[in-house]
Amino acid sequence: MSGDEIYEYVAWFHDETLPVDDQCHEWPGVVGIWARDPESAQAWGDELAKTCGDTFVRSTVEPWPISAAKPTVMCVVGQRLTAAQIGW
C-alpha cells in the first residue's frame, strides 16, 4: 500500500450497564488502521467504533510507532471488521 501508513486508532467507550464510578465504565479499544492520512484513519475507525455495543465517546489517532511491534488487530480503510473481530 504505497504511501499509506499504519495509524494507532484508539476509541473510548462507555459501558452503560456499569455505574459511572466503576473503573470499567469507560474503556478504550485499539486497532491499527492502514490509511493515507490520519484523518482517513480516524474517520474509518469512528465508523467501525460506532458498531460496538457500548456508547462511543471519542477517538484519537497517532502514527504507529516504528519501533513497536505490528498491531495485533489491523485493517485497511474500507475493510469491515466486527466489534468481536477487533476485540471490542
Side-chain angles (χ1 to χ4, degrees):
M1 301 193 64
S2 180
D4 288 358
E5 295 183 45
I6 301 173
Y7 292 92
E8 178 186 54
Y9 173 85
V10 180
W12 288 89
F13 301 95
H14 284 171
D15 182 341
E16 303 301 342
T17 66
L18 298 173
V20 174
D21 61 347
D22 187 302
Q23 68 179 6
C24 294
H25 173 74
E26 184 169 283
W27 60 275
V30 180
V31 65
I33 299 179
W34 275 102
R36 68 179 178 278
D37 54 52
E39 294 80 17
S40 297
Q42 189 159 25
W44 185 246
D46 288 353
E47 188 168 328
L48 293 175
K50 291 173 184 172
T51 68
C52 180
D54 288 341
T55 304
F56 173 68
V57 179
R58 66 185 180 281
S59 65
T60 60
V61 171
E62 299 288 334
W64 195 269
I66 292 171
S67 61
K70 293 261 192 242
T72 304
V73 178
M74 189 167 57
C75 69
V76 177
V77 167
Q79 178 186 4
R80 289 262 169 222
L81 295 177
T82 66
Q85 288 172 308
I86 297 170
W88 294 342

